[in-house]
Amino acid sequence: MRYADGLLSVVAVEDDSGRATEGDGLQPLAPLDGARFYAVEVAFECRAAICDQPPQADLALRLFDGSRIAPRPRTALIGQDTLAPVALGRITRGWLVFEIPRVGVVQALEVLPPVGDAVEIGLEGVR
């Protein structure tokens, strides 16, 4: 999906991930009781002069019950990249980790750019 500061696409998802960690840790985290980790790998192409906080938009997972869950702060997947600052025309790829209810059904990734309307990226069929 395209917006003023960039182009964002979903590359892969990892449902019920056992590889979530905080900071630079190598030890997997345990989700809250009744929750699971849902990771989304995205590719972001910078379309502004400098993209110092890719994806330059607020993101949330939208569940079928209407809930919106933001990425878990300071959480990554062990051994995987996170989004890095880039300049115009460059692409960065990385994983975002969400903590969602064990019974939650993910419908889409919601993208809210600083300017413009929110847009959703469907996650059906993404592996």
Side-chain angles (χ1 to χ4, degrees):
M1 76 133 310
R2 180 182 297 273
Y3 47 98
D5 287 344
L7 193 65
L8 185 73
S9 58
V10 173
V11 177
V13 299
E14 186 172 303
D15 194 359
D16 203 11
S17 177
R19 301 187 301 148
T21 188
E22 283 186 316
D24 295 332
L26 297 176
Q27 295 298 320
L29 287 175
L32 294 172
D33 187 29
R36 70 184 196 268
F37 292 119
Y38 189 97
V40 178
E41 185 181 19
V42 297
F44 173 75
E45 180 180 341
C46 180
R47 302 308 303 154
I50 298 291
C51 296
D52 59 351
Q53 294 183 352
Q56 306 297 113
D58 289 329
L59 301 178
L61 278 185
R62 188 163 58 77
L63 306 182
F64 270 102
D65 69 358
S67 300
R68 287 177 172 74
I69 312 277
R72 194 168 191 266
R74 298 175 306 284
T75 306
L77 290 186
I78 294 171
Q80 298 298 310
D81 293 327
T82 57
L83 295 173
V86 290
L88 178 65
R90 298 296 183 183
I91 297 172
T92 180
R93 277 176 71 152
W95 287 87
L96 306 166
V97 179
F98 302 83
E99 191 168 25
I100 65 172
R102 177 139 311 274
V103 298
V105 177
V106 176
Q107 184 170 16
L109 179 66
E110 187 176 81
V111 182
L112 181 60
V115 177
D117 296 327
V119 178
E120 292 183 351
I121 301 173
L123 298 176
E124 302 83 29
V126 179
R127 300 270 174 225

